[in-house]
Amino acid sequence: MARYGMVMNVHACLGCRACMAACSQWNQTPFWAEDFKGKWRTRVTEIEEGKFPEVKRYFFPTICMHCENPPCASVCPTEATYINKDGIVLIDYDLCLGCGYCIEACPYDARYEYELEDLKKDEFYFGEDARHHQAHVDKCTFCVDRLEEGLEPSCAATCVGHARIFGDLDDPNSEVAKLVNTGKAKPLGPYMGTKPKVYYIK
Amino acid sequence: MDLVQQQIWGWNIATYLFFGGLGGATLALGILAELRFNLNKWFGILVSLLGLAILSFGLIWLVIDLINPLRFLLAFWIAGLGHSWIARGMVVIMGSYIFGILYAIAAYYGSTTFKKWMGYIAMFCGFGVTTYTGLLLNANVAIPFWHTPALPLLFTVSALSTGCALLMLILAAMKSHEAEHYFHFVEGFDILLISLELLIIFAYLDFARLGNAAVMKSAHLLLNNPLFTIGFLVLGLITPLILEAFASVKHSAKGLAGVASVLVLIGGFLLRYLITWAGVFQYPHGIAS
C-alpha cells in the first residue's frame, strides 16, 4: 500500500506539452476533439501576468488532484468513483451512469465526458487496442496500469524539465515526500477541505 | 480569469428540477386534500397520479441529459446512498411511485387504515422530492453560489408554491363545498410560501453581495438578466403575491387566483433554469479551461 502523489514544479515546466501528448496516447483520451474542448486528463496552460514592461509568463500544469476527501466521489450515486488501496481516485466505467454530477462537483476541473462519438474515434484510431468501450466520465488515473508494471505515469515519465515529480507520499525518502514535508510544495485550494495529493512549487 | 460559468447542466436539468419539484408537491398536496380536507377519493387518486405523471415527465429530461441515455438503468444501482443526493433522490422518487400507487389502490378499494398509512408515507416521499432537488445542487462545493443552505430551502418553498398553484387551477374548476374550502387553504398557504420565497431570495442575494468572487459573479449574472428581475421576481413572485392577496379578500375572485397560479408556475420554471444557469466555478488554480 502506498499513498501516491505528485509535485508540479511550475518553475521547471517548459510548456512543451509532451505530457499532454504522452497522456492522450497512452490513455486514448480525445485528442481528436476539433477545438480540444478541454477533454484532457492533464493540461498545461500558458499564463501571462502583469503589464508591460513588468510581464511574467509561465506554464501551469494541471491534473486530477487525487483528493483524500474527493467531492466527485461523495456525489457519485453508483460509487463508480472510488479510491483504490494506493489512494488513487478511479472510475469504474461499468458503473458510471454518466450523469455529470462529478464534473460539476470537482473544484479542479479535472473531469470531462467521454461521449459516444469519442468511442467511435477511439476505435477508429486504435482499432482492436481501443480501451474505451462505453460512454463515461473520464479523468486522470495516475496511469494505474503503468504503476502495476513498475512504470511512472506517462506524463511524469515524459516530462523534459522534471517538472512532474511522482512518488509515494508515505515514503519519507521519496522526492515528493521531501518536497511536501519541507513545505516547498503546497496543495491548491486547501481551504476547500479536499486534501489534494498533487502539490505545487510556485 | 478563474471564474467560469458552468455549462454541464442546462435546460434539461432545469426542466427536471422544475417538474420533479412540481410532481412531488402535487402528490403531497393531492393526498393531503383527501386525507385531511374531506375531498372525495377520486380527487385524491387522480391528483396523486397526476403528481406522479408530472414527476415521470421530469425524469425523461434527466435521462436525456445522461452521456448515454441507454445506461439509465444504472440509476437504480444506488450504492452511493450514504453520500450522494442522486442516489438518495432515487429512493424518494421510487418511494413516491410505490407508496403513491399503493395509496391510490387503497383509496379505490376504500381500505381506510392502509390508505392513511400509504398516503402519509407517499406525502413524505413527495415532500422529499421537492427538497432533494435543492440539495442536489447544494452538494457542489465547486460552485459557491449553489453551495449554500439557502438553495434547498428556496427550491423546497418554490416547489410547494408551484404545487399549490397547480392545485388552485384544478380546484378553481370544481364546485363542491370541500373544494372551495381546500382552495382557500391552498391559496393562503401559497401566500405564505411566496412571502417566504421573497425573504429567502432577499437573504440569498444579500449573502451574494457580500460573498466571494464566484458568488458575486452569479448574483451579478442574475440581477442583470431581465428574465430574473422582470420574469421571475416581478411577474413570477411579486405579481402573483399581490393577485392572490387580493383574491383571498374577495372570495369570488377565482379567476384572479388562476392567473396568479399560471404566473407562479412560469416563475418556478424560470427560477430553476436561472439558478442552474448562474452557477459559476471558482477554480483554485486560477485557470479557466
Side-chain angles (χ1 to χ4, degrees):
Chain A
M1 257 183 32
R3 195 166 66 92
Y4 288 122
M6 193 180 274
V7 169
M8 304 283 196
N9 186 351
V10 178
H11 303 293
C13 180
L14 314 176
C16 66
R17 296 190 168 114
C19 49
M20 291 171 70
C23 168
S24 63
Q25 288 300 307
W26 185 269
N27 297 302
Q28 301 176 7
T29 62
F31 55 82
W32 45 77
E34 278 176 24
D35 55 359
F36 296 108
K37 285 183 180 173
K39 289 188 173 186
W40 299 90
R41 286 188 182 185
T42 183
R43 279 192 290 266
V44 174
T45 309
E46 188 182 326
I47 295 176
E48 203 173 281
E49 278 179 358
K51 275 188 180 175
F52 179 81
E54 298 293 323
V55 186
K56 193 170 80 171
R57 188 167 168 235
Y58 59 94
F59 298 96
F60 199 90
T62 49
I63 197 170
C64 167
M65 301 288 150
H66 293 279
C67 307
E68 283 178 12
N69 181 24
C72 55
S74 81
V75 298
C76 181
T78 60
E79 293 217 321
T81 294
Y82 65 100
I83 305 176
N84 83 350
K85 61 180 174 38
D86 295 323
I88 303 172
V89 178
L90 295 172
I91 303 169
D92 183 340
Y93 298 154
D94 290 334
L95 284 180
C96 179
L97 171 63
C99 59
Y101 204 4
C102 53
I103 304 177
E104 292 279 25
C106 174
Y108 301 100
D109 193 22
R111 291 173 166 246
Y112 65 89
E113 291 178 346
Y114 207 104
E115 293 168 275
L116 292 168
E117 58 192 79
D118 294 320
L119 294 178
K120 285 183 197 156
K121 289 277 187 185
D122 188 32
E123 203 179 329
F124 174 77
Y125 284 109
F126 293 95
E128 284 183 359
D129 295 329
R131 296 169 67 172
H132 299 269
H133 304 292
Q134 60 242 359
H136 59 87
V137 171
D138 198 48
K139 65 175 272 301
C140 161
T141 61
F142 269 161
C143 290
V144 69
D145 51 334
R146 287 173 62 93
L147 296 180
E148 282 165 10
E149 292 172 26
L151 299 167
E152 277 197 309
S154 55
C155 60
T158 200
C159 184
V160 183
H162 195 50
R164 291 172 182 250
I165 306 149
F166 180 78
D168 183 0
L169 291 162
D170 279 347
D171 173 7
N173 296 317
S174 70
E175 194 179 353
V176 278
K178 283 177 186 166
L179 288 167
V180 170
N181 294 340
T182 54
K184 275 186 185 169
K186 291 186 165 52
L188 292 179
Y191 55 86
M192 290 185 291
T194 51
K195 298 184 184 168
K197 289 201 291 294
V198 172
Y199 295 79
Y200 283 78
I201 302 173
K202 289 197 273 188
Chain B
M1 185 64 179
D2 58 346
L3 301 177
V4 186
Q5 212 172 336
Q6 72 85 21
Q7 305 282 339
I8 303 293
W9 286 350
W11 284 106
N12 290 346
I13 296 294
T15 308
Y16 165 66
L17 294 174
F18 172 70
F19 284 107
L22 176 63
T26 306
L27 173 73
L29 290 168
I31 296 172
L32 182 75
E34 195 266 331
L35 289 181
R36 307 291 295 182
F37 286 84
N38 300 325
L39 271 101
N40 67 36
K41 74 172 185 184
W42 284 108
F43 184 88
I45 293 169
L46 292 175
V47 174
S48 58
L49 292 180
L50 174 68
L52 293 178
I54 293 169
L55 181 57
S56 308
F57 179 72
L59 284 167
I60 293 170
W61 297 89
L62 197 59
V63 171
I64 288 172
D65 199 62
L66 297 177
I67 302 176
N68 181 2
L70 296 175
R71 282 164 72 85
F72 77 95
L73 281 174
L74 269 170
F76 291 96
W77 182 255
I78 48 166
L81 187 64
H83 45 77
S84 169
W85 277 107
I86 286 187
R88 290 169 182 173
M90 274 304 288
V91 173
V92 286
I93 288 169
M94 285 302 112
S96 298
Y97 280 111
I98 294 167
F99 295 106
I101 288 167
L102 284 175
Y103 158 80
I105 293 169
Y108 179 77
Y109 286 106
S111 167
T112 319
T113 315
F114 187 65
K115 178 190 76 178
K116 204 184 265 182
W117 277 103
M118 294 303 105
Y120 283 129
I121 300 172
M123 275 174 66
F124 176 78
C125 291
F127 185 72
V129 174
T130 67
T131 306
Y132 113 91
T133 54
L135 289 159
L136 184 78
L137 296 193
N138 181 57
N140 286 289
V141 289
I143 299 176
F145 189 65
W146 294 353
H147 192 57
T148 147
L151 187 65
L153 271 177
L154 180 63
F155 274 23
T156 304
V157 171
S158 167
L160 287 172
S161 172
T162 55
C164 285
L166 186 64
L167 261 285
M168 273 195 280
L169 283 176
I170 297 167
L171 291 162
M174 293 170 66
K175 294 266 185 280
S176 73
H177 173 72
E178 287 82 7
E180 183 88 7
H181 179 58
Y182 194 51
F183 179 89
H184 290 299
F185 167 77
V186 171
E187 190 179 54
F189 188 37
D190 199 31
I191 290 171
L192 172 72
L193 289 169
I194 298 176
S195 309
L196 272 174
E197 207 175 331
L198 273 168
L199 182 67
I200 298 167
I201 281 280
F202 173 75
Y204 204 164
L205 292 175
D206 195 57
F207 147 81
R209 184 173 64 86
L210 304 163
N212 68 13
V215 173
M216 287 160 92
K217 167 124 188 215
S218 293
H220 181 79
L221 283 169
L222 287 177
L223 291 172
N224 283 286
N225 189 337
L227 270 181
F228 181 78
T229 48
I230 299 169
F232 170 66
L233 281 180
V234 177
L235 293 175
L237 221 52
I238 296 167
T239 310
L241 179 64
I242 295 168
L243 290 179
E244 282 180 18
F246 188 70
S248 71
V249 181
K250 286 187 69 165
H251 279 278
S252 58
K254 277 189 177 172
L256 219 53
V259 174
S261 299
V262 173
L263 289 175
V264 165
L265 288 167
I266 295 169
F269 180 74
L270 284 178
L271 175 73
R272 303 303 187 291
Y273 172 67
L274 291 164
I275 293 277
T276 313
W277 168 78
V280 173
F281 287 107
Q282 185 171 26
Y283 296 127
H285 45 53
I287 295 168
S289 62

